[in-house]
Amino acid sequence: MLATAVAVVGVLVGGLLEAVALTGHVFGAWPSPESLTPGLLGAAMLGTAPGLFAVNRARAWHEARSLVQPLAVVLLGLFTVSLLDAGRLYVATGGPVVPVLFSLGWLFVLGTLCVCAVIALARQYVTPGRPPGPRGAPLPAWSKPALAVLGSAWLGIGTGLLVRPGFWASFVPWDVDRLDARALGVWALALGAGVLGALAEDDLARTGPALTALPGTAVAMGVVLGCRASAVDWSSGPALCLVAMVAGLLLAGLGGRVLLARSAVAHPHG
């Protein structure tokens, strides 16, 4: 239920943020110097929604945790950074009524979902579960170094943006402020945790929802970056790294899906 609720919010709110950003306008819970940031936040929310809907088909916790755990990181992270910089939200600074109401709803919905996420994870880990059983579709050995690099890159950048936003914001190839940097850092941290979590699972069958979320997120982010390309400093190294990392998400998700399908054909009763 938690994953479905977040997916619905992601489709509605994420779709709104991305659609407005594609027009070049800034809309969100706080004023941003460039529409690209709220657009990418919305793209991440919208892109992960299909994977969250797929969580309902998971038969056991180990088939969903590679996506649900990063989801908890996003919820807790965004709520925390919003509280830390609450003075920057429209509900504190004032402004047009729609952004003010949106920022108020942002805090309320995030807070509610955070409480639900903590309760759900706590119940999951204190309730004895059945053993996950043997791994039916282990990751190919050749894919593990690439996944480790991809996950570490997202995790490292996300940690930097969260811990030292003033310093790391200068590496973002478009205009961002402190709250923008931290919000982007939360999503980068969650993406890195998801990729590394899938690597730790070492079983494609246990990462189905995550494999669905990765390409959707990459495509949604690519659309925003493409439509708002004029706002990006493409001559910088960070811009090229970002393109490579987004492409890595797309390839990891699509490649994992292909390998999982081949494994299902080779072992139909696995």
Side-chain angles (χ1 to χ4, degrees):
M1 291 181 64
L2 172 65
T4 300
V6 177
V8 172
V9 172
V11 171
L12 297 176
V13 177
L16 174 63
L17 291 176
E18 181 168 0
V20 174
L22 294 182
T23 68
H25 295 86
V26 177
F27 178 76
W30 60 87
S32 296
E34 168 55 50
S35 64
L36 194 54
T37 297
L40 287 176
L41 296 178
M45 297 168 68
L46 184 62
T48 56
L52 293 172
F53 283 123
V55 168
N56 286 330
R57 298 196 294 270
R59 296 164 295 180
W61 168 240
H62 60 267
E63 296 178 0
R65 61 189 173 195
S66 61
L67 183 57
V68 175
Q69 289 171 338
L71 168 65
V73 172
V74 169
L75 294 175
L76 293 171
L78 286 179
F79 185 61
T80 300
V81 300
S82 297
L83 288 181
L84 289 175
D85 287 298
R88 291 268 298 127
L89 300 181
Y90 279 113
V91 69
T93 63
V97 63
V98 173
V100 170
L101 292 177
F102 181 85
S103 65
L104 182 62
W106 174 271
L107 281 177
F108 175 77
V109 173
L110 274 179
T112 302
L113 292 177
C114 280
V115 173
C116 294
V118 170
I119 294 174
L121 289 178
R123 290 186 60 184
Q124 182 60 52
Y125 283 109
V126 300
T127 302
R130 62 182 182 182
R135 288 176 168 83
L139 296 173
W142 56 263
S143 69
K144 295 180 181 179
L147 288 176
V149 171
L150 178 64
S152 298
W154 281 107
L155 191 71
I157 291 173
T159 302
L161 288 170
L162 278 173
V163 176
R164 296 191 62 189
F167 174 78
W168 284 92
S170 62
F171 290 94
V172 178
W174 61 87
D175 293 334
V176 295
D177 59 17
R178 181 183 181 88
L179 187 49
D180 282 344
R182 280 182 161 172
L184 291 171
V186 169
W187 270 106
L189 188 69
L191 289 171
V195 173
L196 294 178
L199 183 62
E201 292 287 354
D202 194 17
D203 190 344
L204 292 167
R206 299 182 188 179
T207 59
L211 292 177
T212 301
L214 286 180
T217 302
V219 170
M221 293 175 68
V223 169
V224 175
L225 289 170
C227 291
R228 298 295 302 147
S230 60
V232 181
D233 179 12
W234 294 109
S235 63
S236 65
L240 299 179
C241 291
L242 177 61
V243 171
M245 291 163 62
V246 173
L249 296 178
L250 179 63
L251 293 175
L254 295 181
R257 275 289 164 194
V258 171
L259 293 172
L260 182 58
R262 290 180 177 177
S263 176
V265 172
H267 306 91
H269 302 292

